[in-house]
Amino acid sequence: MPNIRIVNAVETDVPLILDFIKQLAEYEKLSHQVVATVEILEKSLFGQRANAQVIMAELDGRKVGFAIFYTNFSTFLGKPGLYLEDLFVIPSARGHGVGKRLLAHLARITQERDYGRLDWAVLDWNKPSIAFYDSIGAKPLSDWITY
């Protein structure tokens, strides 16, 4: 049984977070859109007015994945929600339950904060991720078009 631990990211994780972002962008064929730098992420994630939070996944003591999330708001529910911007696990660590543990941790945060829901988006061609989300019982919202 692999030893998986979810921890809050710290400022010294920023170079690794940026590396994970670049790996994710490469997988999504969007590397040309990455303009983030260590300095930008330090300010956005750990500055005086941090805009998002990051949790890191450790597999047997090695950081192998992350999730970046922030608070949104549902007027219909009258409550904030948690929006998952990115979830990434390095290829060599996939299949060990790391992604499930990251999502379970986000679900717990959502419940502990009394948020209305946990939302995220997935590219329509990303069949492995769609299959993963389907396998954990996530339900796609097919009545909205994202712009």
Side-chain angles (χ1 to χ4, degrees):
M1 183 89 178
N3 180 21
I4 300 169
R5 210 170 76 120
I6 307 301
V7 298
N8 291 324
V10 294
E11 196 164 352
T12 56
D13 289 323
V14 170
L16 181 59
I17 293 167
L18 180 58
D19 181 58
F20 286 166
I21 290 169
K22 289 178 178 179
Q23 288 184 58
L24 175 61
E26 184 177 326
Y27 172 76
E28 292 181 339
K29 301 170 185 70
L30 297 171
S31 294
H32 61 284
Q33 292 185 15
V34 178
V35 297
T37 64
V38 168
E39 295 77 20
I40 290 170
L41 290 176
E42 284 172 345
K43 182 178 178 184
S44 296
L45 301 174
F46 298 98
Q48 186 174 0
R49 295 185 65 203
N51 302 102
Q53 294 176 262
V54 183
I55 54 175
M56 306 292 290
E58 294 179 351
L59 178 61
D60 296 326
R62 179 173 162 238
K63 290 181 178 165
V64 297
F66 79 118
I68 295 180
F69 59 99
Y70 55 89
T71 302
N72 60 13
F73 190 81
S74 169
T75 55
F76 287 7
L77 296 176
K79 289 183 166 190
L82 191 144
Y83 188 82
L84 171 60
E85 180 65 24
D86 285 323
L87 184 141
F88 177 76
V89 176
I90 62 171
S92 63
R94 294 178 188 158
H96 296 284
V98 175
K100 286 181 184 178
R101 290 286 298 274
L102 283 164
L103 279 171
H105 190 86
L106 294 172
R108 272 193 300 282
I109 291 171
T110 302
Q111 291 177 325
E112 288 168 1
R113 295 181 183 178
D114 192 31
Y115 286 178
R117 62 182 184 227
L118 168 58
D119 297 315
W120 67 90
V122 62
L123 292 166
D124 61 359
W125 59 261
N126 192 345
K127 302 302 181 204
S129 293
I130 292 169
F132 167 64
Y133 297 137
D134 287 345
S135 77
I136 62 168
K139 302 294 179 211
L141 300 175
S142 58
D143 50 346
W144 294 93
I145 297 173
T146 303
Y147 285 91

